[in-house]
Amino acid sequence: MEPRRPATKVPLTASQLTRSQWLFAFALVTSLFFTWGFAYGLLDVLNAHFQQIFGINKTKSTLLQLAYFGAYVVWSPFAGMFMNRFGYKAGIHLGLLLYSLGAVFFWPSAKFAKYGGFVGCTFVIGCGLATLEVAANSYIAVLGSPKHAAARLNFSQGFQGVASFAGPLIASRWFFLGKNANSLDTVQWVYLAVSGLGVVLNILFYFCHLPEIEEEYILQQLPELEGPDAKPESFWKQYRCLFGFVAQTAYVGAQVGVASMAVNFMSEQGIGIDKSRASQLFSFCQMTFTLGRFVGVLILNFVDPALLLTIYGFACCTFTLGVALATGKAGVGCLFGLFFFESICYPCIFTLGTKGLGVHTKQGSGLIVMGVGGGAWYPPAQASVGDRISSRRSYLVPLSGYIAMTIYALGMVVDQTKKNGFRFRTVDEFDQQKRQVALEVVEHESDEKKSNETGVVEEVKDKRD
């Protein structure tokens, strides 16, 4: 009698969750998008505020962006490895801890008016948010059918947009008006509140059940159907992910550059917009971005993500040119149009780049999130052009990022067309692959059966002869 083997723990998949479990997990992780949207929204306004407080130029003020997005380059790989070993929930706790620590140290930086302290704290906040992005983006992407992954991620990140316009709205009221225009007092209290929010969320996640979804288990079913000896390809052959990293780096760099110069751009248009009003208009730009996210959710339920990303990419290129070349109210209008068409780009690049990675999903997620580091390089380059020429002409710099993103999206459409024909509507590729593999297995079994039957008939004939 053979000894009984120990029972193997079958990983939990999204389809095994009850409706209430799924909704709770989705809502809990979506709350994280609001957290870093608020921090990011404040960051762009602080650029203009610090120029006035510390008497620094536009280029030096973008050290905040360099620290924030540079943290993604440095920290994202470690975040991916940490979650690969300890799971999503542990990664979320680590991210919220770093986020709260970075925010609380804004208080001494403001108290002693040290710009370097703000840059250092921003780096720590960036490390925390990089960890949260690796966890939340990949968790939402695998929390259901791959067909609607882009729509789900757009919906969740829509709440990031809600928070990102709340930041500039607060800043326009408390940072730039009256005595606050030359003071850091309000900055310290706002960031103490941000730190408190991180602590509260960390406590909630500790006491709440967050199921650990194992996307590898679902995607490994394909090679298991193909045969016991089948092995996944090397991660370095996952070209859609590798090129997705390049596209994400270029896109995020362009997006961050556009936002970091928005207040300066609008206040320099010569149409009576001061920095307080420009900050308020910037919050309206973020509202437009958020509206675009939720509109994108509806469209992505029907239109293929790669195709829609291509269309939006061309629109981003067009409106960026409009901002750089148009004057007065026309330039400001083009800026609003640009914010609308940026809306779906990040989630679509993420889901296209991580789709079908199987055992490489967490590693691929870390790489795509690392692409957020593009936000560290574009703002200084754009601000340098702004200092030397004008804020308006500086918008030619992010145009290169939108072009790179559009080339990636167009390449994905061409690749899909070569493999499965052109498609306008979104489809569940994973389900199609499973059906194809199952069909091949049935055909193989049928061929074997026919071969066996032929062999029996020939054997009977030989006996008769």
Side-chain angles (χ1 to χ4, degrees):
M1 183 177 179
E2 293 184 6
R4 180 179 293 178
R5 295 179 180 178
T8 321
K9 186 180 177 182
V10 179
L12 187 67
T13 66
S15 61
Q16 292 173 295
L17 299 177
T18 64
R19 183 178 295 273
S20 59
Q21 285 177 322
W22 184 91
L23 282 172
F24 183 75
F26 186 82
L28 202 60
V29 176
T30 297
S31 69
L32 297 175
F33 290 93
F34 183 90
T35 302
W36 72 68
F38 188 80
Y40 173 65
L42 284 175
L43 186 68
D44 294 313
V45 179
L46 283 175
N47 268 15
H49 190 52
F50 286 165
Q51 288 170 31
Q52 189 167 343
I53 295 292
F54 294 107
I56 56 179
N57 61 19
K58 296 169 189 172
T59 305
K60 192 171 181 180
S61 74
T62 58
L63 281 175
L64 291 176
Q65 267 78 13
L66 182 63
Y68 182 90
F69 292 99
Y72 279 78
V73 178
V74 175
W75 191 255
S76 293
F78 294 103
M81 289 187 288
F82 181 86
M83 270 171 278
N84 210 30
R85 180 165 184 177
F86 299 105
Y88 288 113
K89 190 172 182 177
I92 289 169
H93 282 306
L94 176 63
L96 287 171
L97 174 64
L98 291 171
Y99 175 78
S100 298
L101 283 174
V104 80
F105 280 105
F106 261 69
W107 177 78
S109 299
K111 187 74 175 173
F112 298 103
K114 298 294 183 183
Y115 182 62
F118 284 110
V119 174
C121 293
T122 300
F123 179 81
V124 177
I125 288 177
C127 289
L129 295 181
T131 308
L132 293 177
E133 285 224 40
V134 174
N137 283 324
S138 55
Y139 193 88
I140 292 293
V142 302
L143 199 60
S145 163
K147 178 181 178 181
H148 300 298
R152 277 197 310 277
L153 194 53
N154 264 282
F155 180 79
S156 287
Q157 289 203 352
F159 291 92
Q160 177 186 355
V162 171
S164 64
F165 73 68
L169 207 58
I170 289 172
S172 68
R173 178 66 181 85
W174 299 106
F175 288 2
F176 292 130
L177 292 181
K179 66 176 184 179
N180 292 329
N182 297 300
S183 168
L184 293 170
D185 291 345
T186 50
V187 174
Q188 63 182 338
W189 296 118
V190 168
Y191 272 90
L192 280 174
V194 167
S195 178
L197 174 64
V199 171
V200 170
L201 281 174
N202 222 336
I203 293 170
L204 285 175
F205 272 95
Y206 179 80
F207 288 105
C208 295
H209 173 64
L210 187 70
E212 189 70 22
I213 302 294
E214 292 291 343
E215 67 277 6
E216 293 94 340
Y217 178 74
I218 303 173
L219 297 171
Q220 276 178 333
Q221 289 180 2
L222 288 179
E224 284 172 6
L225 285 171
E226 291 169 355
D229 298 327
K231 293 181 180 179
E233 283 188 314
S234 164
F235 174 72
W236 301 110
K237 290 186 178 180
Q238 309 299 320
Y239 298 115
R240 69 159 61 209
C241 180
L242 300 179
F243 288 122
F245 161 71
V246 176
Q248 196 73 290
T249 302
Y251 163 71
V252 174
Q255 180 196 5
V256 175
V258 165
S260 67
M261 294 294 291
V263 173
N264 287 298
F265 166 76
M266 287 186 283
S267 62
E268 293 172 13
Q269 284 297 90
I271 50 176
I273 298 176
D274 60 14
K275 286 196 172 180
S276 177
R277 176 61 177 163
S279 178
Q280 192 176 38
L281 286 174
F282 178 55
S283 72
F284 295 156
C285 286
Q286 297 286 18
M287 290 180 192
T288 305
F289 178 89
T290 304
L291 174 65
R293 275 265 164 92
F294 290 115
V295 170
V297 173
L298 298 175
I299 300 173
L300 283 165
N301 277 298
F302 305 100
V303 180
D304 178 72
L307 179 61
L308 191 63
L309 182 62
T310 304
I311 296 169
Y312 272 51
F314 278 112
C316 285
C317 294
T318 303
F319 279 107
T320 307
L321 276 173
V323 174
L325 302 178
T327 57
K329 292 181 179 180
V332 175
C334 286
L335 186 65
F336 274 82
L338 177 57
F339 270 83
F340 180 86
F341 284 103
E342 280 183 339
S343 56
I344 69 155
C345 298
Y346 181 97
C348 283
I349 295 171
F350 185 90
T351 51
L352 288 171
T354 58
K355 183 169 57 177
L357 289 181
V359 294
H360 303 304
T361 299
K362 284 179 181 173
Q363 187 178 0
S365 299
L367 181 66
I368 298 291
V369 170
M370 187 177 168
V372 174
W377 323 126
Y378 270 74
Q382 187 175 349
S384 179
V385 175
D387 283 329
R388 287 174 170 80
I389 305 174
S390 70
S391 296
R392 184 160 59 90
R393 288 285 189 261
S394 75
Y395 277 82
L396 292 172
V397 175
L399 176 64
S400 63
Y402 295 125
I403 290 172
M405 175 196 72
T406 306
I407 291 172
Y408 172 72
L410 191 59
M412 293 295 294
V413 172
V414 172
D415 182 62
Q416 290 176 174
T417 303
K418 283 183 177 179
K419 291 177 179 176
N420 303 304
F422 177 79
R423 62 173 184 253
F424 177 81
R425 295 184 66 87
T426 184
V427 299
D428 191 338
E429 290 183 358
F430 180 62
D431 188 55
Q432 283 187 336
Q433 289 173 0
K434 282 200 299 184
R435 289 180 183 178
Q436 181 64 31
V437 170
L439 184 62
E440 289 174 3
V441 170
V442 170
E443 288 176 352
H444 180 67
E445 290 176 349
S446 177
D447 291 340
E448 283 187 346
K449 186 177 179 181
K450 287 179 182 178
S451 178
N452 291 336
E453 288 175 354
T454 304
V456 170
V457 171
E458 289 178 354
E459 188 178 341
V460 170
K461 284 182 179 179
D462 290 342
K463 286 181 179 179
R464 285 179 181 176
D465 294 341

